[in-house]
Amino acid sequence: MHVHNKAYAGVIGVTPDVGLYTACIGQCLYPLFGTSRHVTFGCSSTSTVLTLAVMATYPASPQTPEYITAVKTLAFMTGIFYAAMAIFRLGFIASFFAYPVLLGFTGGAALQVAASQIRYTFALSGHGSTWIDNVSLLKHMGNGNWSAFGFCLATLVILLAFKWVPVLCPQWKPMQYARNLPITLLLVMFFTLVNYGGQFLVHAENGTWNEGTVLAPEIVGRVDLKFPSNIDMDFSLVSHHPRFFLVGALTIAVV
């Protein structure tokens, strides 16, 4: 799930550590306040795309401190609205959404998240805020890193195999045992070791490999293993930009 949170952070336009902190903190707090033993807790493509839609016209560039502060403030305001809706039992509002609308929105969110991963698939630079911007990177596909593409393709094939082979061959005993493995975690570890040994995605220590060109991939790099010293939210933004931090937050909470 940490991989998913890193990807979602990239879609929104914040640094990867924000997604990692989101994954860790949520899983630590839910056992204390949650009521289900079976729930899977984490970020979703729906909340990611909604946040991106709200922040798309915000007057700050993605990845900048001002933008990240605004995203954190929006998330906090969304939590306030969501908690208020839970306290006053307003969940019935969701029943007013037509199923075809929700299905179409979920499909669109899936396309947006998939398109945002094109630059990672071919190790290209660029961050687009729309589906078209991300897909346009395919015109540089011929100059991409084909080792990175091979990693992605192999991962996808293995994941699909572990999903469908037990369904198509239910009597095959090896797959009956394999379906209980944390295959996503194992794949991340395996391909990380393969890349480390083969140096397929080698880049300069400071991330300056092909800097300024379309061949400069966005690599996570070093992430400090500590929690931030302060949570830099700015609540003055709520009064200055109510469309983003009141209307936008309420929309995210309802959907």
Side-chain angles (χ1 to χ4, degrees):
M1 187 172 64
H2 289 185
V3 178
H4 294 162
N5 280 271
K6 190 268 179 188
Y8 292 149
V11 172
I12 296 173
V14 298
T15 53
D17 60 297
V18 176
L20 296 176
Y21 289 141
T22 302
C24 296
I25 295 175
Q27 293 184 77
C28 291
L29 292 179
Y30 186 83
L32 301 177
F33 301 100
T35 57
S36 174
R37 294 181 299 171
H38 307 287
V39 71
T40 300
F41 188 87
C43 297
S44 67
S45 59
T46 304
S47 60
T48 300
V49 173
L50 284 170
T51 303
L52 175 64
V54 173
M55 297 299 298
T57 57
Y58 186 76
S61 300
Q63 304 285 348
T64 61
E66 295 80 7
Y67 184 90
I68 296 175
T69 297
V71 170
K72 292 178 180 179
T73 306
L74 176 64
F76 188 84
M77 294 302 300
T78 301
I80 290 178
F81 282 118
Y82 200 78
M85 292 170 62
I87 292 172
F88 294 104
R89 299 184 180 276
L90 299 178
F92 66 89
I93 295 177
S95 63
F96 291 100
F97 288 96
Y99 178 73
V101 174
L102 292 177
L103 189 63
F105 180 82
T106 304
L111 288 176
Q112 174 67 27
V113 174
S116 70
Q117 300 306 298
I118 290 176
R119 62 184 183 275
Y120 301 117
T121 302
F122 295 98
L124 299 171
S125 67
H127 178 82
S129 59
T130 67
W131 185 83
I132 296 177
D133 292 337
N134 287 310
V135 172
S136 65
L137 287 174
L138 288 174
K139 64 184 179 182
H140 303 289
M141 184 174 60
N143 297 322
N145 188 313
W146 292 98
S147 296
F149 175 77
F151 284 10
C152 294
L153 183 62
T155 302
L156 181 61
V157 169
I158 295 173
L159 287 174
L160 290 176
F162 273 80
K163 178 180 180 180
W164 289 109
V165 170
V167 176
L168 299 175
C169 305
Q171 304 301 324
W172 192 26
K173 290 186 177 180
M175 267 299 170
Q176 293 178 1
Y177 297 108
R179 66 189 306 174
N180 296 322
L181 294 174
I183 186 62
T184 304
L185 176 61
L186 293 176
L187 284 176
V188 170
M189 295 172 60
F190 173 74
F191 283 111
T192 298
L193 292 174
V194 170
N195 175 54
Y196 179 79
Q199 300 292 298
F200 294 112
L201 299 178
V202 130
H203 65 102
E205 183 176 358
N206 296 325
T208 57
W209 177 41
N210 294 323
E211 186 176 14
T213 73
V214 76
L215 299 179
E218 298 179 8
I219 299 177
V220 176
R222 178 184 292 274
V223 177
D224 292 333
L225 298 178
K226 63 178 181 180
F227 287 105
S229 57
N230 60 344
I231 303 176
D232 49 347
M233 292 184 290
D234 185 1
F235 294 105
S236 65
L237 295 174
V238 178
S239 58
H240 293 157
H241 303 281
R243 180 171 67 88
F244 293 99
F245 301 101
L246 290 179
V247 179
L250 180 60
T251 302
I252 295 174
V254 171
V255 176

